[in-house]
Amino acid sequence: MRALLAVTLLVTAGHAGSTGIAVQPYGSTTAGAAVEKVTLTNDRGMTLGFIDYGATLISATVADRNGQRRNVVLDLPDLPAYQRSTRKWGAIIGRYAGRIGGARYTLDGKTVALQPNARGLTIHGGPPGYEHRVWQRRDFADRTSLGAVYTLVSPDGDQAFPGKLTLRVTYRLLRGSDEFRIEYEAVTDAPTVLNPTNHAYFNLAGAGSRGIGTHRFRIAADRYAVTDDNRVPTGELADVRGTPLDFRQPASAAARLKTPSPLLGDPPGFDHSLVFAKPAGKLAVVAVVDDTASGRRMEIATTEPSAQFYTANAFDGKEVGTSGTAYQRYDGFAFETQHLPDSPNQPAFPTTVLRPGEVFRSVTSFRFSTKR
């Protein structure tokens, strides 16, 4: 009740119409923890929704060329569906997004043994994943934005990683433009590695739309991480030139999936780490995605050096969204801004080491507009 009262005060502090923050119960986990759903609405009518479970992004409603708003984030219908799923829909991933080869790394002369999966590597930090935890939340509203700050304390030894980590993730919706930001901040009390991301899937034609055939991608990446048979980086960063991964000029990912390529596998799919051509740590636009059907455009800017570009290759129709549509292969895409997988074992990659006294900070923004 206290959280709901705080929201009421934020909404009535001089903001017209439905602009503000709405909080609703979203059920309880199987362990009995209460979960709430937050919906932000800005001055233009864009909404952003998320839940405490996994600090999971569940919706972003943005206008098409005719002013009609639809949710462009692939979602699930309720909390039990999120608890059952292994696809990490819209959740915050940690302690380490992506693969760590051999489920181990060495830091300061000490080998850290992580939790291996069936292939002998660690993916997305290993269990229990951050996506299956209830995060603590503090809502806020200021002159230019409104949102929530989520906090998760990951104790020393959690997922076998050293150091007590305190991670804060802010979802921020700008009042005057159709843009939201995900801001990360973390500290540790012992040397560790950290690589958080958000695992949202998008379809700019609207969640539940079939395929991404009407999408065109421009990605400012000139290199990609070469991987082995387990999709663990070898350490080589190869030129995208002449490969299906070259999106430096706008192109259709769906069209490229129809052309056989050893780089895309069989069945074909994008699931690659793309390295941006920009100064380290600078917030810069790294991707522009246009949906020719709706006219929606999404510009992604980040301080991160790379992203995992994934075209929902493993979707199999077994999970159904709020729209009532079962998600099939290629029905969305993920663009997970992050550091490179296996960086703790690849000294030539940008470092993911975090030490006591340091503060990890990262920002990714998603700005929406329309194109005729």
Side-chain angles (χ1 to χ4, degrees), residues 250-267:
S252 167
R256 292 184 179 183
L257 291 171
K258 297 177 182 179
T259 302
S261 167
L263 197 56
L264 299 183
D266 184 21

Side-chain angles (χ1 to χ4, degrees), residues 170-218:
T170 300
Y171 287 119
R172 183 185 304 274
L173 177 63
L174 300 191
R175 291 188 181 276
S177 62
D178 286 353
E179 178 182 352
F180 74 90
R181 298 173 182 172
I182 308 177
E183 304 164 4
Y184 305 82
E185 182 176 294
V187 294
T188 182
D189 67 357
T192 191
V193 296
L194 173 66
N195 190 29
T197 193
N198 180 279
H199 209 287
Y201 299 96
F202 296 93
N203 189 311
L204 298 187
S209 298
R210 276 283 165 257
I212 54 172
T214 58
H215 289 53
R216 291 178 65 81
F217 297 85
R218 178 165 61 85

Side-chain angles (χ1 to χ4, degrees), residues 5 83 100 102 107 177 181 230 250 263 268 340 346-347:
L5 176 60
Q83 289 190 271
I100 295 180
L107 178 61
S177 62
R181 298 173 182 172
N230 279 328
L263 197 56
L340 287 160
Q346 305 294 343

Side-chain angles (χ1 to χ4, degrees), residues 133-350:
R133 308 187 195 189
V134 177
W135 292 54
Q136 297 300 306
R137 190 190 83 247
R138 175 181 61 81
D139 303 320
F140 70 88
D142 57 35
R143 185 177 59 84
T144 60
S145 65
L146 59 162
V149 180
Y150 278 110
T151 300
L152 181 73
V153 177
S154 174
D156 178 44
D158 188 16
Q159 300 172 307
F161 286 90
K164 174 185 174 183
L165 181 84
T166 301
L167 175 61
R168 292 184 177 87
V169 177
T170 300
Y171 287 119
R172 183 185 304 274
L173 177 63
L174 300 191
R175 291 188 181 276
S177 62
D178 286 353
E179 178 182 352
F180 74 90
R181 298 173 182 172
I182 308 177
E183 304 164 4
Y184 305 82
E185 182 176 294
V187 294
T188 182
D189 67 357
T192 191
V193 296
L194 173 66
N195 190 29
T197 193
N198 180 279
H199 209 287
Y201 299 96
F202 296 93
N203 189 311
L204 298 187
S209 298
R210 276 283 165 257
I212 54 172
T214 58
H215 289 53
R216 291 178 65 81
F217 297 85
R218 178 165 61 85
I219 303 174
D222 57 2
R223 293 176 297 165
Y224 71 95
V226 178
T227 60
D228 62 19
D229 291 342
N230 279 328
R231 305 197 70 82
V232 175
T234 64
E236 179 186 358
L237 298 179
D239 196 322
V240 299
R241 192 181 311 274
T243 78
L245 303 180
D246 189 351
F247 287 95
R248 290 174 295 179
Q249 297 297 320
S252 167
R256 292 184 179 183
L257 291 171
K258 297 177 182 179
T259 302
S261 167
L263 197 56
L264 299 183
D266 184 21
F270 290 92
D271 188 8
H272 297 78
S273 296
L274 303 179
V275 182
F276 305 132
K278 72 178 185 69
K282 180 181 179 181
L283 179 63
V285 174
V286 296
V288 178
V289 186
D290 285 303
D291 175 44
T292 58
S294 67
R296 292 187 182 93
R297 165 174 284 188
M298 180 169 70
E299 294 182 351
I300 305 172
T302 189
T303 56
E304 289 295 296
S306 61
Q308 193 75 14
F309 178 50
Y310 177 62
T311 49
N313 315 321
F315 284 12
D316 55 11
K318 294 180 180 179
E319 293 185 271
V320 178
T322 301
S323 65
T325 301
Y327 295 124
Q328 304 287 351
R329 182 180 293 159
Y330 312 140
D331 275 353
F333 68 94
F335 197 82
E336 304 159 46
T337 56
Q338 59 187 70
H339 274 55
L340 287 160
D342 204 40
S343 291
N345 293 314
Q346 305 294 343
F349 287 3

